Amino acid sequence: MSLTTLTYIAADLIALAVLVGALYAPRHARKDLMAAYIGVNVGVLAVTLLLSTSDNVGAGLGLGLFGVLSIIRLRSTELAQHEVAYFFATLALGLLGGIQTAPIGMVAALMGTVVAALWIGDHPALMRRNRHQVIVLDHAITNETALIAHLERTLGGQVRSVEVQRLDLVDDTTTVDVRFRVP
């Protein structure tokens, strides 16, 4: 393994450490997903490094690999959108670290861009007053205006959107998915 290859691997592992260790862990603290992010990144890095050493493997196969990896749905638990974003970021970092066709400075800058994008996009201060909740109300409310007014009184905030998931007139309950903003 050449010094150049080791430099690319080091750049990937540094970016991964910042992404998962410094951004994801303090904000979300899911140990199971930390292991998944690290495993996905190192796995993609290893496969990409191997593919980049072969003259017989074209870019189409590499893009095909990325396409297959991008459609994998992890069915063991439901993932939030920010968790999916971290998965794609770890995939991108692994690919960037494994393909050695660009100068290391450019690759490091692209890795930094990926990490910075999630640092900004998942920052706790961004839209910090916005909330999302699925609520079961103890009575059926069929009028949307009355439903929104009830939710605003109950939640103490301004309702941005509401989606009735279930309206049960027999048991007199309403299940709603509501997005709201607290004062």
Side-chain angles (χ1 to χ4, degrees):
M1 199 173 289
S2 71
L3 182 60
T4 301
T5 302
L6 292 174
T7 305
Y8 280 84
I9 292 171
D12 172 64
L13 295 178
I14 290 167
L16 178 66
V18 172
L19 180 73
V20 175
L23 295 183
Y24 182 78
R27 293 179 183 178
H28 305 290
R30 281 192 60 182
K31 184 179 178 182
D32 58 332
L33 285 179
M34 286 179 58
Y37 296 146
I38 292 166
V40 164
N41 176 269
V42 173
V44 168
L45 176 67
V47 169
T48 308
L49 283 169
L50 183 63
L51 288 174
S52 70
T53 62
S54 174
D55 293 334
N56 298 328
V57 178
L61 182 58
L63 291 173
L65 169 68
F66 184 74
V68 168
L69 290 171
S70 69
I71 62 170
I72 292 175
R73 229 13 222 169
L74 304 166
R75 300 192 194 291
S76 58
T77 59
E78 187 175 318
L79 296 176
Q81 293 303 312
H82 69 273
E83 293 164 336
V84 173
Y86 280 95
F87 263 109
F88 280 108
T90 58
L91 279 166
L93 293 176
L95 287 169
L96 286 167
I99 299 175
Q100 301 175 32
T101 57
I104 187 63
M106 175 188 271
V107 170
L110 290 170
M111 287 178 171
T113 302
V114 169
V115 173
L118 278 178
W119 181 79
I120 293 167
D122 189 40
H123 198 279
L126 185 67
M127 300 177 73
R128 70 178 184 270
R129 294 177 28 208
N130 291 358
R131 303 287 188 273
H132 174 236
Q133 192 86 37
V134 175
I135 299 175
V136 179
L137 301 173
D138 63 351
H139 54 282
I141 304 174
T142 57
N143 180 293
E144 186 171 327
T145 305
L147 175 62
I148 290 171
H150 179 75
L151 287 168
E152 287 181 341
R153 284 190 309 275
T154 303
L155 298 170
Q158 179 188 13
V159 171
R160 299 294 207 160
S161 72
V162 64
E163 180 181 327
V164 176
Q165 293 182 335
R166 184 169 185 219
L167 181 64
D168 190 334
L169 297 173
V170 174
D171 290 330
D172 199 27
T173 61
T174 306
T175 304
V176 293
D177 184 331
V178 61
R179 295 181 189 277
F180 61 101
R181 184 177 179 126
V182 295

